[in-house]
Amino acid sequence: MASPRAQPQAVVGGGAAGAPGGVTMRMFHGDVFLGEVDVFPMKQAGEGGLPFPSNEIRISHLSPASERCPPLAILQTIAPFSVRCKLQAKLMPHPSLHRFYLTCFNEFKSAVVVVGDDELHLVAMPSKVEKVPCFWCCSVRSGIYAASVGMLNLRCLAIVFDLDETLIVANTMKSFEDRIEVLSRRMDVEDDPVRISGMSAEIKRYIEDRELLKEFIDTDTVTDNGRIVGTQKEEVLPMSGGQEHVLRPVIRLPERNAILTRINPEIRDTSVFVKLRPAWEDLRSYLTAKGRKRFEVYVCTMAERDYALEMWRLLDPEANLISLHNLAERVVCVKSGSKKSLQNVFKDKGCHPKMAMVIDDRLQVWDEKDQPRVHVVPAYTPYYAPQAEMAAAVPVLCVARNVACNVRGGFFREFDENLLRKVFELMYENELLDLPYAPDVGDYLICEDTSFPPNNKDVAPIHEGMSGAEVEKRLNGLAYPRTQKQIPSSTRSSDDEGATIRGTPGGTNIQSNKGSLATTPSLFVTVLQEIGRLCESRVEFRSTVSNCKSMQFSVEVLFSNEKIGIGIGKTRDEAQVQAAEKALQNLESNYLSFMTPVAGFPKKGANKPPGSGNGFLEDTNDSDDISMEEPSGSTLKQQDHSNALDRLSSVIGLIRELCLEDQHVVFRDQIQNSGSALNGEYHFQVI
C-alpha cells in the first residue's frame, strides 16, 4: 500500500513570495473570487505560453472525488507528463482560496478549468518550502478524467470485443447457399481425395444448419434430433433513447451451441443461424464474477448496427456486461474496409486507450497505434474445423480470459507499487521529469499460442459467417452479388498453401505424434494459468530487461505473490515460456510423492504410450480410485505397507486441501523412466 502523502503546511504570514518570472492571475470558482496566484510554466513542458485565456483562472467545477487515487496519479495515467504550469498563491492568501485548496487536497479532487475541448486540472500539491496553497496544472481531453477516476478506483480496465469469427459465426439462407456453392465448385476441380473428403464434410455441416434455418423461417420451429423445438418470444428491451419494445422469435439450442433469431420479426428473410464460440460462458463469468466489475465492456464490429445489437443481446441476454443505458454508445459499428480504433470506440470520453485491451481475430483491421493492445485469437471456424476449439488444451476464449486476467494484474501492480507510491512522494518543487512511468495495457499483453489442431493443413479457405456489407444488404432487402469476400493473403491462404491459424504467426500446433500429444512450448503458460485459476491463485508474469550486454529479456513467475520460476530469452515470449516451464517443474516437485514401491501399482492407461496426454489437463474418470496390491513374493512387512499408505493418504489430503474446495483434482500414476523405476522411485502427478 502506498504511504500517505505529506500534509500541506499551515498557512501563516510572512511566507516566501513566488519565484521571479511568474505571471499574476486572478482565480475564480464560478463567479466567486478566490484570490491571486502566480503562474509559472513548467521548464520541460515545451509548449510555450500559459494555458489560461484572458489571463484569469476561472474554475467551472471540481472533479469527482477519488476514494484511493490522488488526482495526479489519475492524470499521469491518462495523460502522461501533461503538466503545463505551476500555481502558487500570493502571500497572505484569501481564506476562501485556502479552504478551496484544503478541500481539493483532502478529498482527492482537482479544480477543473474548461478551455475548448480540453480540461485543465489544478491539483493541490504539498510543498517542502512554500507555506501558501500550491497547485500543478495538467491538461487532458474533456471527459476522460471523469470516466477514468471510477475505473482506477475500482481497479477496472476496458475490454473491446469483435463479433464475427471472434465470438460468433452467423449465416442467413443466402450466405449458406453461397458457401455451399463455392465449396461445390472447388470440389469439382479438386483431385486430392483428402481435400475432397474434407470439403464434402464441410458442405454436409452447412446443409444441416441450412435446413434448420429453413424450417425456422417456414414454421417457427426446428426439429433437433427428432425433437420439435418451438420459438420463444424474447423481449428486446429499449435502449436509452426510447425505442419501442420488440418481441423477437428465438430458438436456443444449447447442445449445438447455436441460436436462431430474426433481426426484423416482421420479415422472415432476416432470420439468422448463429453459432456461439465455445467457452464464451467462462469468459463472460470472469468479467462479472461475484458482482465485481473487472472490465468495462465494449463492442467494435464492421457489421450492420441492428445485426450487431442483436448478436450482442444473444451473447449478453441479461445485459450484465453492457447495461441497456450504455448499449447504444458501447456497440460501435465501423464501415466495412475502414480501420478500427480505440479512439473512435471511446469517442475521447469513455476510457483512455492505454487502459483498454481488444479481443479480435484480425490484427490489421486495427489502427497501428492500437495493435499492441490487441489479443489476436484464431478465427472461429465451426464448419471447416468443428472439433478444433475443444481439441486445444485450453479453449481459445479461456486463454483470452487468462490473458485478460494477467493484463489487469500487471497493469494495477505497476499502478499501485510504482506510480501511486511515487506520486505520494512528489512535492510542488519537483519537476516534470520526476513523474513516474505510467502503465499501458500493451506492456502486459504477452502473446500466447492459441493455436489448435485443424482437421487438415489448410486454413479455412472461405469466411464462414457474413461480412458486414453482406449483413447490411440482406437487412435492407438488396440482392447479394455472388462473389467471395476478398481475404488478404497475409491472413488466409489459398487451397494449395498450408498455413498456421490466423492470429498465430509462426506458432506451432498441438499435433498428433504416434498417439501422443506433442506439447507446444507456450502450452506451459496456459497450463500454469489454468492451474492458478483452479487453485484460485493469482499467476503473474513480471517482465524486465536484463542488465547484461546482450539485452535479453527476463521474466519472473509469481504464484500467489511467491516467485516460483524465472526465464531468460532473446524475446519476451521466449523468456515467458521458459519461466512458465520452470514454474511448473517447481510446482511438480512440491506436489510429487516419492516413495519406496511397497506394492505393484496398477497402471491406469497402461495401453497408452508413455507421455500420452499433456500431464496436467487430462480428464480421468477413476481418479480417486488409487489402489495398491501386494505382489507375489514381496518381502516387505505389513507395517511398511501401512506406513506407505498413510504417507500417500496424507499427501493426497494435503493437495486436496490446498487446491480444491469444490474443484476437481485428478491424480495420475506415472513412471518417469525405466531407470527411476528400477531405483525404487514412483511418481504421482497432480493433474
Side-chain angles (χ1 to χ4, degrees):
M1 179 180 294
S3 57
R5 57 179 175 172
Q7 290 297 312
Q9 305 235 7
V11 177
V12 295
V23 177
T24 300
M25 295 187 185
R26 290 159 59 86
M27 181 183 287
F28 296 86
H29 185 190
D31 294 327
V32 177
F33 176 68
L34 296 178
E36 291 188 342
V37 296
D38 288 328
V39 184
F40 308 93
M42 291 293 283
K43 292 179 181 178
Q44 295 90 356
E47 292 209 9
L50 297 173
F52 303 105
S54 305
N55 280 342
E56 70 175 18
I57 303 167
R58 195 166 291 275
I59 298 164
S60 64
H61 61 278
L62 295 181
S63 70
S66 174
E67 297 177 4
R68 56 204 292 191
C69 305
L72 187 59
I74 299 170
L75 290 162
Q76 178 65 1
T77 301
I78 61 178
F81 306 101
S82 62
V83 183
R84 299 285 301 278
C85 57
K86 295 181 178 182
L87 286 71
Q88 179 181 317
K90 293 283 191 179
L91 286 176
M92 299 298 295
H94 194 284
S96 298
L97 179 57
H98 180 58
R99 288 194 297 269
F100 183 82
Y101 166 80
L102 289 178
T103 297
C104 293
F105 188 92
N106 293 326
E107 297 181 13
F108 282 174
K109 294 179 179 179
S110 63
V112 183
V113 179
V114 178
V115 180
D117 293 332
D118 293 336
E119 292 176 350
L120 301 175
H121 286 255
L122 308 184
V123 180
M125 298 290 293
S127 174
K128 294 183 291 186
V129 178
E130 308 300 341
K131 298 181 180 180
V132 293
C134 299
F135 299 86
W136 278 13
C137 173
C138 301
S139 175
V140 66
R141 294 289 292 175
S142 179
I144 293 182
Y145 184 96
S148 302
V149 62
M151 294 177 65
L152 290 172
N153 277 313
L154 294 173
R155 298 303 187 258
C156 177
L157 297 176
I159 189 167
V160 182
F161 288 109
D162 175 49
L163 290 177
D164 293 302
E165 294 192 296
T166 298
L167 300 180
I168 57 111
V169 164
N171 281 285
T172 61
M173 284 295 293
K174 183 62 177 176
S175 65
F176 273 138
E177 291 165 2
D178 286 346
R179 280 146 185 80
I180 292 169
E181 181 179 339
V182 169
L183 287 169
S184 298
R185 289 202 306 263
R186 293 187 178 184
M187 282 182 63
D188 292 340
V189 298
E190 182 58 64
D191 296 327
D192 187 341
V194 175
R195 290 176 183 260
I196 292 174
S197 175
M199 291 180 189
S200 176
E202 189 174 354
I203 289 175
K204 182 179 178 180
R205 288 187 282 271
Y206 275 121
I207 291 175
E208 182 180 354
D209 285 351
R210 183 193 64 180
E211 293 307 308
L212 288 174
L213 181 58
K214 185 177 186 303
E215 187 179 1
F216 173 68
I217 293 173
D218 293 340
T219 67
D220 281 343
T221 64
V222 297
T223 304
D224 182 29
N225 294 325
R227 178 174 58 98
I228 298 178
V229 183
T231 60
Q232 298 291 327
K233 297 293 185 180
E234 293 189 359
E235 182 180 11
V236 181
L237 297 175
M239 301 178 293
S240 61
Q243 79 177 61
E244 297 180 0
H245 285 257
V246 175
L247 290 176
R248 279 204 178 98
V250 174
I251 296 178
R252 295 180 181 266
L253 303 174
E255 294 180 358
R256 290 178 176 266
N257 227 30
I259 303 175
L260 295 97
T261 185
R262 195 165 293 146
I263 306 299
N264 186 336
E266 304 301 323
I267 304 176
R268 289 182 176 268
D269 280 349
T270 63
S271 299
V272 182
F273 188 99
V274 185
K275 287 263 193 185
L276 305 185
R277 191 164 204 161
W280 164 247
E281 289 299 324
D282 291 295
L283 177 54
R284 186 175 71 171
S285 298
Y286 164 73
L287 297 173
T288 59
K290 301 177 181 178
R292 180 179 180 182
K293 183 176 289 188
R294 294 182 170 96
F295 286 87
E296 294 285 356
V297 178
Y298 293 77
V299 174
C300 186
T301 176
M302 292 183 178
E304 190 271 342
R305 185 162 183 79
D306 286 344
Y307 163 86
L309 289 170
E310 174 62 2
M311 294 305 104
W312 183 253
R313 188 190 69 83
L314 299 178
L315 290 163
D316 184 30
E318 297 177 355
N320 290 327
L321 299 182
I322 302 179
S323 68
L324 293 173
H325 176 72
N326 294 324
L327 190 60
E329 62 185 31
R330 292 207 179 182
V331 176
V332 179
C333 296
V334 179
K335 185 178 179 181
S336 183
S338 303
K339 285 283 188 180
K340 299 179 180 179
S341 77
L342 290 174
Q343 186 174 358
N344 288 339
V345 170
F346 301 131
K347 300 177 178 64
D348 292 332
K349 294 182 179 181
C351 174
H352 195 281
K354 291 178 55 178
M355 296 170 58
M357 67 174 290
V358 177
I359 306 291
D360 203 327
D361 66 304
R362 291 183 291 171
L363 179 66
Q364 299 306 321
V365 298
W366 283 92
D367 191 286
E368 187 174 351
K369 66 177 178 293
D370 293 325
Q371 290 181 10
R373 304 179 184 115
V374 179
H375 172 64
V376 183
V377 298
Y380 180 35
T381 55
Y383 296 99
Y384 176 73
Q387 302 302 321
E389 293 283 323
M390 303 316 295
V394 181
V396 169
L397 292 186
C398 285
V399 174
R401 175 202 61 203
N402 294 342
V403 169
C405 182
N406 276 344
V407 165
R408 180 173 172 270
F411 183 98
F412 283 110
R413 180 167 20 85
E414 175 72 20
F415 182 85
D416 290 334
E417 298 178 5
N418 180 45
L419 186 143
L420 203 58
R421 179 178 59 82
K422 291 182 179 178
V423 163
F424 275 118
E425 297 171 356
L426 289 174
M427 296 287 183
Y428 172 75
E429 289 75 20
N430 284 102
E431 295 298 335
L432 188 67
L433 296 181
D434 296 326
L435 285 165
Y437 173 76
D440 188 315
V441 159
D443 297 338
Y444 312 101
L445 197 61
I446 299 177
C447 294
E448 296 194 30
D449 185 1
T450 56
S451 59
F452 47 80
N455 289 352
N456 54 50
K457 294 186 294 182
D458 298 323
V459 174
I462 62 174
H463 276 279
E464 302 206 346
M466 298 178 290
S467 68
E470 183 178 359
V471 174
E472 187 172 5
K473 289 177 181 178
R474 165 53 73 189
L475 295 181
N476 290 333
L478 301 179
Y480 286 88
R482 290 180 177 267
T483 57
Q484 180 187 345
K485 184 177 178 181
Q486 295 299 314
I487 305 165
S489 59
S490 61
T491 58
R492 289 280 176 102
S493 67
S494 68
D495 276 348
D496 298 325
E497 295 175 346
T500 54
I501 295 296
R502 179 174 54 173
T504 57
T508 55
N509 293 335
I510 305 171
Q511 298 176 345
S512 177
N513 183 14
K514 297 182 181 179
S516 63
L517 284 175
T519 306
T520 60
S522 63
L523 185 60
F524 296 124
V525 176
T526 53
V527 168
L528 184 61
Q529 291 171 330
E530 194 68 9
I531 290 174
R533 186 183 69 84
L534 292 173
C535 297
E536 296 186 356
S537 298
R538 193 165 152 186
V539 178
E540 299 179 62
F541 293 89
R542 181 175 296 169
S543 179
T544 60
V545 178
S546 301
N547 294 326
C548 60
K549 294 181 180 179
S550 61
M551 293 298 289
Q552 289 186 317
F553 286 86
S554 174
V555 173
E556 296 178 347
V557 181
L558 289 89
F559 193 91
S560 294
N561 294 322
E562 179 181 351
K563 186 166 73 175
I564 60 171
I566 187 169
I568 297 176
K570 294 180 181 178
T571 65
R572 186 166 57 179
D573 289 352
E574 181 182 333
Q576 185 197 27
V577 169
Q578 186 184 116
E581 181 179 5
K582 290 183 179 179
L584 288 173
Q585 292 171 352
N586 289 335
L587 287 177
E588 182 183 27
S589 66
N590 290 333
Y591 292 122
L592 285 178
S593 172
F594 302 94
M595 57 191 303
T596 302
V598 298
F601 293 88
K603 299 173 180 55
K604 299 174 193 167
N607 295 329
K608 295 181 182 178
S612 63
N614 60 28
F616 285 92
L617 301 175
E618 181 168 311
D619 199 8
T620 306
N621 294 328
D622 55 350
S623 58
D624 294 331
D625 184 17
I626 302 178
S627 59
M628 305 171 67
E629 297 179 0
E630 186 172 352
S632 59
S634 173
T635 58
L636 296 175
K637 296 180 181 180
Q638 185 66 27
Q639 184 63 38
D640 293 335
H641 179 90
S642 176
N643 291 341
L645 279 172
D646 291 340
R647 286 187 60 202
L648 178 61
S649 298
S650 64
V651 170
I652 292 175
L654 176 61
I655 296 174
R656 286 189 182 281
E657 183 179 350
L658 290 173
C659 292
L660 80 96
E661 293 175 354
D662 54 358
Q663 303 285 353
H664 186 53
V665 177
V666 178
F667 298 90
R668 179 163 63 91
D669 53 333
Q670 180 184 36
I671 295 289
Q672 298 285 7
N673 54 57
S674 58
S676 64
L678 291 175
N679 291 332
E681 294 182 352
Y682 200 86
H683 300 253
F684 278 89
Q685 189 167 5
V686 180
I687 302 174

